[in-house]
Structure formats: C-alpha cells, structure tokens
C-alpha cells in the first residue's frame, strides 16, 4: 500500500559510527547479534545527518520490551501505557522503543505521553507492537522519522525526511491538524526544532497552529514544564520565544507574561523577556550553566513587578507586596506550566531580593545580602532590569561597586530610588539575634521560611 522506502547506502550519507555514542552502539550491536532489528532513530539520526552533535540517542527495535530487558542487566522498563526500555550506562540512558503499530491516527502516540512518562496520558491499549514500516507513521516530523540500520549502516526513509532535511523544512507526517489534535505538544516541538535547527515550517504544518494553540490547555502542566525547559534552556531560547509568540503559543504557556507584553507601560516596548532569553542563549553558547530558577524568575518578573506595584499602591509595605505578588503570580502560573517547589521557592527569593536590594544599602545588612545564596541570580536580574529600561540603573551600579569593594561602602544610590524604604525594618534589634558569620545566612533556613510563606521581615524569611 505504502510506497517503498528510500534507502541510502552507507556511501550515500554522512552518519558515521564514530559519531554515535559507544553506549548506543553497544545496545544496537547486542540487539542485532541477538537476531533483532536495531536502528538508531529520531533526533540522533537527524542531527548526525546535519553534522550536529545529538543530545541523546534513541533506538528502535522489533524486540519486545521484556526481550530487551533480558539482554541488558542495566535495563529498566518504564511507562505503563506504552512500555519503553531504558538501558543505563552511568549517567547516560539509551532509550529503546519497540516498533509500534496500530495505524497513524490512533490516540496516544509513540511519545504523546511525554518521554516515556505515561502516567498522565489517557488510558488506552497503546501497547500495539508493529513493524518499522508501521512505526514510521507514529513519529512527528519527517526529519524525525529516519532510521539508521546497524545491520548494514544504511538510512531508511519512508517519508521524504532526507529531502526535508536538505531543504530545511519541518513537515508533520500525515494530516497536520489531526496530528496536533492527537498531541498538541507537537506544536511546541515544531517551534523548538525550527528555532534550534533554523528550519522553516512547511505551510501545511504551520497553518493549523494558530487555530489549535488552545489545545495546549488540556496538556498536564507537568509535561509542559518539561517542554518549556527544552524550549528555553537549550541555547535557542530567543528564537523559540519569538516563534511561540508569533503562533499564539506563548500566551498558552505564560498568559500573565503575554498580558504584560501586550500592555506596554511608559511607551517603550518591553524588552525584558527577550533580553533575559538572549542572555541565557549567550551563556549556553559559552558553556556556562543556566538554571530554570533564573529562567522562570525572569519570565514571570514583569507580572510580579506590576502586581507588587498595585499592592503597594493599595498600601502594602514593599516587601510584603513583593511576597504576595510572587505568591499570586505563581499560583496562577502553575495552572498552565507546573513549577516544582525546588524552582518556585528560590525564584520567589530572587524576587524578594529585588525589593531588599532597594532598601537602605548600608552596613552589615548589605554584606549579608551579598552572601545570600540567591544573591548572584538576583543581582543578574537587577542588571537585566536596568538594561531593559527600568529605573534601577543607579541601584544596579551601586551593587556592582559594592561587590567589587564591599569594604569601601559606596554612597547609597541617589534619592528617589524606588522602594527606598523597603527594608527599614531590617535595622531593628532583631538582627542582633542573627549569627554574624558571612555565608551562614540563607540555605536551608531561608528556604524553609519561604516554604511556610515567610513573613514581611527580611530576617525571618
Ligand atoms: P531532541 O532529543 O534533540 O530534543 P528528538 O527528535 O530526539 O529531539 P525526542 O523527544 O528525544 O526528540 O524523541 C525522539 C523521537 O521520538 C522523535 O525524533 C520522534 O520521532 C519521536 N517523538 C517524540 N515525541 C513525539 C511526539 N509527541 N509525537 C510523535 N513522535 C514523537
Ligand atoms: Mg532525542
């Protein structure tokens, strides 16, 4: 029924075993020697064909999950609805998926439940195994549906993926609208791959997105959290962000931020988020670490800032306004994209530090802020705010100088720095109870306080 595949012999493509992880090769060879079919699939083949270094290596086989497990001591089966085998080599995991059958439009795609975590997905009999020819149609984009055969080192292409790779086109396999309905996360994947690879979306793949964007509301926030990390921490955050906005997808992930972007204040375009993402990309390019805490703190800063200003206008003290604003913004956000506490708690500390930075910056109090475990991230956020046009340049400069010469006690920033009274309460007798040693503050203690919601006083948070 279906057209014969195009098979590129070893001499006709650039995929080389030298570029495949030795552990992935071990898995492929062992399956092959045991008499099973074994292929490198997905992003691994795509990236190798493009001359890029793959992020991870996935294997496709006709061996059943239990058969895979029998071959590898270091193997765990995961996923309830669709079982996948994870073969562990220290920190590297090679994911082995059995070919799937069941027709192209069956609900619950090969990966619709998200990287093997089947628990959030709708129930159904997803364990319908099939052949390679059937497996192809379950995959999302043609360029993700190429199979490298360890038996003869050829690349198997049923869907025109090789052509699309050459042309730099992302094309969904099958009817795009139906494929998005089946798994709306494919819209995010389309944007992510387009941004990362510099590809364009085929018009048929692009057209249904605006109308289907709302389907993301049905995706479990925990799965969207994973996707957001992949979108924004892999070095192409800025182009991903721009494309997400263009297709109306960003509003489904960060509605409060989108709202702020749509309602510019003070007549200048809001460049804060774009700057933060450009900054993240630059760090990735330099091989520096990037953290989800800073990312989310930046993505949600504008809604938090505006809400805190409202609360202050209603009479709340600055630090309390910031804490309450943070709490409100987070609780609205997690209806869309989950935020584990290990992220939301330090993120809120970073926001609170923005207020505490603006307090009277003198004496030992400023020194203690310097040794706060979130100081660095909070300072980076402050600098970004200044660069994006918020009236905090003097404050940022003050903290820059103070870090260089903490003993020199530079003069406080010029009067009029907003929130100048924010932290007055800090200079109360309570601080006498605090240990004086630098580096002692923060850590577990401050997080524990934040878990409980904290209080307005900086020393009790
Ligand atoms: P990368 O690992 O670089 O992010 P990838 O293409 O390898 O990209 P994975 O999430 O590792 O992406 O998935 C591996 C393969 O599984 C994909 O290439 C694709 O063939 C298939 N796949 C993953 N998610 C889906 C999905 N939601 N719908 C259909 N197929 C999918
Ligand atoms: Mg992959």
């Amino acid at each position: 029924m279906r057209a014969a595949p195009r098979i590129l012999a070893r001499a006709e493509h650039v995929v080389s075993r030298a570029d495949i992880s030795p552990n992935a090769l071990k898995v492929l060879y062992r399956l092959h020697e045991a008499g099973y079919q074994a292929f490198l699939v997905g992003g691994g083949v795509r990236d190798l064909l493009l001359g890029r270094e793959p992020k991870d290596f996935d294997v496709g086989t006709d061996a059943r999950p239990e058969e895979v497990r029998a071959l590898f001591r270091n193997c765990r089966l995961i996923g309830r609805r669709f079982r996948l085998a994870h073969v562990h080599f220290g920190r590297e995991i090679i994911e082995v998926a059995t070919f799937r059958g069941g027709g192209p439009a069956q609900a619950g795609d090969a990966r619709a439940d998200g990287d093997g975590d089947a628990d959030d997905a709708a129930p159904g009999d997803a364990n319908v195994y099939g052949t390679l020819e059937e497996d192809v149609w379950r995959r999302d984009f043609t360029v993700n549906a190429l199979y490298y055969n360890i038996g003869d080192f050829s690349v198997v292409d049923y869907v025109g993926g090789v052509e699309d790779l050459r042309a730099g086109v992302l094309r969904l396999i099958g009817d795009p609208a139906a494929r998005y309905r089946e798994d709306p996360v494919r819209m995010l994947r389309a944007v992510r791959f387009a941004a990362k690879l510099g590809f364009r979306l085929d018009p048929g793949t692009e057209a249904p997105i605006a109308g289907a964007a709302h389907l993301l509301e049905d995706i479990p926030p925990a799965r969207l959290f994973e996707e957001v990390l992949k979108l924004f921490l892999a070095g192409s955050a800025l182009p991903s962000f721009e494309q997400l906005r263009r297709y109306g997808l960003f509003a489904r992930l960060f509605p409060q931020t989108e709202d702020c972007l749509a309602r510019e204040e003070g007549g200048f375009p809001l460049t804060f988020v774009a700057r933060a993402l450009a900054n993240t990309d630059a760090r990735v390019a330099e091989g520096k670490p990037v953290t989800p805490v800073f990312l989310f703190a930046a993505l949600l800063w504008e809604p938090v800032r505006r809400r805190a200003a409202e609360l202050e206008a209603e009479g709340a003290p600055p630090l309390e306004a910031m804490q309450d604003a943070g709490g409100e913004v987070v609780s609205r956000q997690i209806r869309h994209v989950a935020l584990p506490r290990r992220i939301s708690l330090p993120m809120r500390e970073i926001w609170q530090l923005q207020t505490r930075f603006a307090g009277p910056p003198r004496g030992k109090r400023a020194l203690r802020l310097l040794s706060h475990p979130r100081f660095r991230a909070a300072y980076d956020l402050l600098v970004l705010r200044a660069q994006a046009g918020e009236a905090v340049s003097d404050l940022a400069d003050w903290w820059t100088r103070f870090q260089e010469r903490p003993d020199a006690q530079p003069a406080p920033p010029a009067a009029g720095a907003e929130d100048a009274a924010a932290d007055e309460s800090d200079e109360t007798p309570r601080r006498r109870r605090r240990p004086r040693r630098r580096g002692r503050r923060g850590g577990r203690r401050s997080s524990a306080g934040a878990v409980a919601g904290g209080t307005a006083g900086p020393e009790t948070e």
Side-chain angles (χ1 to χ4, degrees), residues 271-286:
T271 60
F272 180 78
V273 174
R275 278 171 194 272
L277 297 176
N279 198 278
T280 306
D281 288 344
R283 287 185 65 95
V284 173
E286 290 164 27

Side-chain angles (χ1 to χ4, degrees), residues 41-44 46-47 54-58 95 111 115 189 192-193 196:
V41 297
R46 177 197 68 216
D47 291 348
K55 199 178 77 193
D56 49 38
F57 292 92
D58 299 314
E95 187 169 290
R111 302 292 295 273
D115 290 354
R189 289 174 61 85
R192 174 158 69 90
F193 294 130
K196 161 173 152 171

